[in-house]
Amino acid sequence: MLTELDQAQKIVGTALDQSQKLFGRGFLIAGGGPTLLFAVIGGYLLYGYAWLQSSVLAWIGLGWQEALFQIALLLVAVYLAAQVVYGLRTAALQVYQGEWPGPLAWLRPVGIALATKTMRRYEAREEAILEVLTDFAWAREFQFGETFSPVEVAEEEARRRQQQVHAAHERLAGQVRQGRRWREGAYGEILHEARLLQANRDRFPPDLQADVDALVAVIAARYREHLPLRAAVEHLWEATFREWIEASEARAANFPEHERWLRPTQMGNVAAALEAYPFDRYGIGLSALWPRLVPILPEEVRLRIEDATTSLDFTVLISLLSLAAAVGAAGIALYGPPRDRAFEVAIPLALALAGSLFYRLAISATRALGVQVQATVDLFRLDLLDALEIERPSTPEQENAIWTELRHFIAQADLPAHHVRFKQAPERKEAPSDPPPSLWDCLRTSLIRRPRR
């Protein structure tokens, strides 16, 4: 049973927790601020600037008690509206991520087709940079040995390219020997063309094969002979490698690993990439892992996650309210009282532009939240196994098998069969028992007289 003090502390703690939810920083930033801002914008659209000015002047003219009462009523109304707006953030996120209701479901295939086209453009850029990086690896790592390229070159085209590469390499080698200025990018183009010819040499007639082999041999000999050529390859390799890393990160940050997880909006694909991160690496989805991971996180980690979530909620709600206000402003411009034509056109456009801008900011906020969530999963996933009293894995393969079995257990109640092993409970040491009483002890106890009352 709880004492009265414990009960009072529990009631106060519950009240404080509820007040934190109702008046917390996340609610005030993401819900209260946007609602108050758009309440003012709505009043201006409906009644004009003169109404706002007259309302302020009326409050100033009233007594402080009556003005305070009216302001309190207004704040209560804004607070209730903010609760409604704040409650819409999940639905707004779902719509922005492409989970559209029935009347808009026909747009989903169109959005996914556009997303697929954009993803393939990202992949094509990444592959093109990797192809260039392979040119420099051909010189650095493989010493101009046998190589492969998916591009096929016909015989006539190969003869023309062989002559052009030979002439360009002779000119560049002369510039290097004479110490004249030369362009590193030109040397990269020579390496690319030579590697392409060598990759297709087996398809050429014998005379062209000999020409290609001789060209590659000259390029290799001069590469080993001249330090500036080797330095140029190193510079080109480093610059291209950084570019390839950026392209790979851009593709991974904007799209999920597998095409079947694509969504019809950009924010949806960024969120899909976030959700697929633990599944691709550890074998369990974020929806199954995250609710169990949050309770064991340190307070400072949860605060960082909360800040990132608040930023996402704020940008999404501002975008949603801006678009709603743009529609309302357009309706008022058409059916409301006549106003200046420039303002009637400019205000809906400005609100629509603000909605689009904050949608872009919401995508950036989703990426920022994704970075925090991914780092949290990487750092604390094994602590979750400790909290579940499951033995930690000794290899990455074993860890993937453990999380896969736990995913099956969470999703469809399949009992873990092989890799999930619970920790052994420590053996309890029993307290040493007293020896059994002797016959004399029993007799002495029975003979002791109890004091009379």
Side-chain angles (χ1 to χ4, degrees):
M1 298 292 292
L2 294 175
T3 64
E4 293 182 0
L5 179 60
D6 293 334
Q7 292 176 351
Q9 289 178 346
K10 184 176 180 180
I11 293 173
V12 171
T14 303
L16 290 176
D17 183 65
Q18 284 298 116
S19 66
Q20 176 67 19
K21 294 178 181 178
L22 297 178
F23 299 98
R25 186 165 61 95
F27 166 74
L28 292 178
I29 294 175
T35 304
L36 181 59
L37 173 63
F38 282 90
V40 175
I41 294 176
Y44 170 75
L45 292 175
L46 290 172
Y47 305 108
Y49 177 75
W51 174 79
L52 294 176
Q53 187 178 21
S54 62
S55 299
V56 174
L57 292 176
W59 285 338
I60 295 175
L62 295 174
W64 69 269
Q65 292 181 343
E66 188 175 354
L68 185 63
F69 177 73
Q70 291 188 8
I71 293 174
L73 288 179
L74 181 62
L75 291 177
V76 169
V78 171
Y79 170 78
L80 295 176
Q83 286 288 346
V84 175
V85 170
Y86 193 62
L88 293 175
R89 67 192 189 280
T90 301
L93 276 172
Q94 291 176 347
V95 171
Y96 279 1
Q97 292 178 5
E99 299 178 18
W100 296 329
L104 298 177
W106 64 274
L107 288 174
R108 183 177 176 83
V110 178
I112 291 179
L114 294 175
T116 303
K117 183 178 179 180
T118 305
M119 185 186 70
R120 288 175 180 168
R121 188 169 66 247
Y122 274 74
E123 292 175 343
R125 179 173 179 267
E126 183 181 357
E127 292 174 0
I129 297 173
L130 184 60
E131 184 74 12
V132 176
L133 193 64
T134 308
D135 297 336
F136 309 129
W138 181 51
R140 293 174 76 252
E141 308 295 335
F142 304 110
Q143 300 297 312
F144 301 94
E146 293 185 3
T147 184
F148 167 80
S149 175
V151 179
E152 295 184 357
V153 182
E155 177 185 347
E156 183 178 353
E157 177 68 16
R159 292 185 185 278
R160 185 183 62 82
R161 289 192 177 194
Q162 189 272 337
Q163 295 174 1
Q164 291 179 347
V165 173
H166 176 74
H169 186 256
E170 290 298 324
R171 287 195 303 269
L172 186 139
Q175 293 171 350
V176 171
R177 285 194 302 268
Q178 297 171 13
R180 295 162 55 189
R181 297 187 60 181
W182 55 283
R183 188 167 60 90
E184 289 184 348
Y187 190 49
E189 295 169 3
I190 290 172
L191 292 178
H192 175 72
E193 293 294 328
R195 190 178 74 84
L196 186 61
L197 290 171
Q198 189 195 53
N200 289 271
R201 68 175 300 279
D202 294 338
R203 303 174 61 250
F204 303 150
D207 62 325
L208 184 53
Q209 289 184 10
D211 292 340
V212 170
D213 293 340
L215 174 64
V216 172
V218 170
I219 291 175
R222 288 176 179 170
Y223 171 80
R224 300 185 186 99
E225 178 183 354
H226 297 293
L227 178 60
L229 296 179
R230 297 196 299 275
V233 169
E234 291 297 326
H235 296 161
L236 293 169
W237 164 272
E238 292 174 1
T240 308
F241 185 74
R242 288 194 299 268
E243 189 178 357
W244 177 69
I245 290 295
E246 292 174 359
S248 300
E249 291 176 349
R251 191 256 180 247
N254 286 281
F255 299 97
E257 185 71 21
H258 304 288
E259 188 174 324
R260 65 179 179 271
W261 303 118
L262 279 176
R263 296 179 183 176
T265 65
Q266 185 176 359
M267 179 183 284
N269 286 316
V270 172
L274 161 64
E275 295 168 5
Y277 180 86
F279 183 85
D280 294 334
R281 287 155 181 81
Y282 305 117
I284 186 170
L286 188 65
S287 59
L289 179 65
W290 190 250
R292 294 158 180 83
L293 186 61
V294 169
I296 68 170
L297 296 179
E299 185 65 23
E300 60 273 14
V301 176
R302 280 190 282 184
L303 287 177
R304 287 199 295 269
I305 297 293
E306 181 181 353
D307 290 342
T309 305
T310 300
S311 176
L312 175 60
D313 292 340
F314 174 79
T315 52
V316 166
L317 290 177
I318 286 285
S319 175
L320 178 66
L321 292 174
S322 297
L323 295 176
V327 175
I332 292 173
L334 293 175
Y335 302 104
R339 295 179 181 176
D340 186 272
R341 181 61 60 183
F343 279 98
E344 289 182 347
V345 174
I347 290 178
L349 291 178
L351 290 171
L353 181 62
S356 176
L357 173 63
F358 276 94
Y359 174 73
R360 306 297 302 180
L361 293 176
I363 295 174
S364 299
T366 304
R367 291 195 186 98
L369 176 62
V371 171
Q372 294 289 341
V373 170
Q374 291 168 1
T376 302
V377 170
D378 291 337
L379 292 173
F380 296 99
R381 70 191 190 282
L382 296 180
D383 293 341
L384 178 58
L385 293 181
D386 294 338
L388 295 173
E389 296 294 333
I390 295 174
E391 292 184 1
R392 289 194 175 195
S394 56
T395 63
E397 293 78 11
Q398 186 180 359
E399 181 185 2
N400 190 282
I402 289 175
W403 288 118
T404 300
E405 291 186 8
L406 289 177
R407 172 169 59 86
H408 291 162
F409 172 72
I410 294 170
Q412 53 199 32
D414 291 347
L415 292 179
H418 303 290
H419 298 89
V420 175
R421 297 184 177 88
F422 289 101
K423 296 179 180 179
Q424 297 294 327
E427 296 182 359
R428 297 182 178 180
K429 295 182 179 180
E430 298 182 358
S433 58
D434 296 331
S438 61
L439 178 61
W440 169 248
D441 291 333
C442 295
L443 290 175
R444 185 179 61 178
T445 302
S446 63
L447 292 175
I448 293 178
R449 295 182 179 180
R450 297 179 180 178
R452 296 180 180 179
R453 296 183 178 178

